Amino acid sequence: MKPLRTYLSLSPDDRRLLRQAFAAVLVARLALWVAGIAWMRSWAAQPRPEALRTQCRPVNRIVWAVQAACRRVPGATCLVSSLALQRLLSSHGHASELQIGVARNGSAFTAHAWIVCNGEVYDSGSPDDSYTRLMAWRTSGKT
């Protein structure tokens, strides 16, 4: 009951943003199973239609909404989180870069994804400089 009470105590704008975040996380989670990488990249970078851009949200509120949604969606990995965050940032007019890197963990490799927006790193895990960046997807956040 507490999650519902918390949700209802949010402003209408924050409730709308949280619904958008849940939708983005779910689409990213499901699309990783069935969609190709080209579709995922295009989807994450899709800007918001100009008519809807008057209600752009601050980056910190978008990050909050995606983090809240990821905590409640099973299997929401760092890649899912980063794809959803890039999608919402782009749709709210913010440029960002999704970065994917690898690090050596003993004899194995680990991979990680994170977002850079306005020079700040938004990471669903623990930020670590040991990751070597392999690729990055930039979005302009503009139409």
Side-chain angles (χ1 to χ4, degrees), residues 44-48 53 86 89-97 117-118 137-143:
Q46 190 169 12
R48 182 181 229 179
R53 201 168 289 157
Q86 188 171 52
L89 288 168
S90 181
S91 72
H92 284 268
H94 301 286
S96 67
E97 184 175 80
C117 181
N118 298 330
W137 299 343
R138 288 193 177 120
T139 63
S140 67
K142 307 290 182 226
T143 318

Side-chain angles (χ1 to χ4, degrees), residues 76-96:
T77 62
C78 59
L79 182 56
V80 168
S81 173
S82 294
L83 286 165
L85 180 55
Q86 188 171 52
R87 167 67 182 216
L88 285 183
L89 288 168
S90 181
S91 72
H92 284 268
H94 301 286
S96 67

Side-chain angles (χ1 to χ4, degrees), residues 42-63:
S42 173
W43 174 80
Q46 190 169 12
R48 182 181 229 179
E50 194 63 40
L52 301 176
R53 201 168 289 157
T54 58
Q55 289 284 332
C56 290
R57 299 293 304 212
V59 171
N60 66 332
R61 293 311 291 167
I62 297 169
V63 170

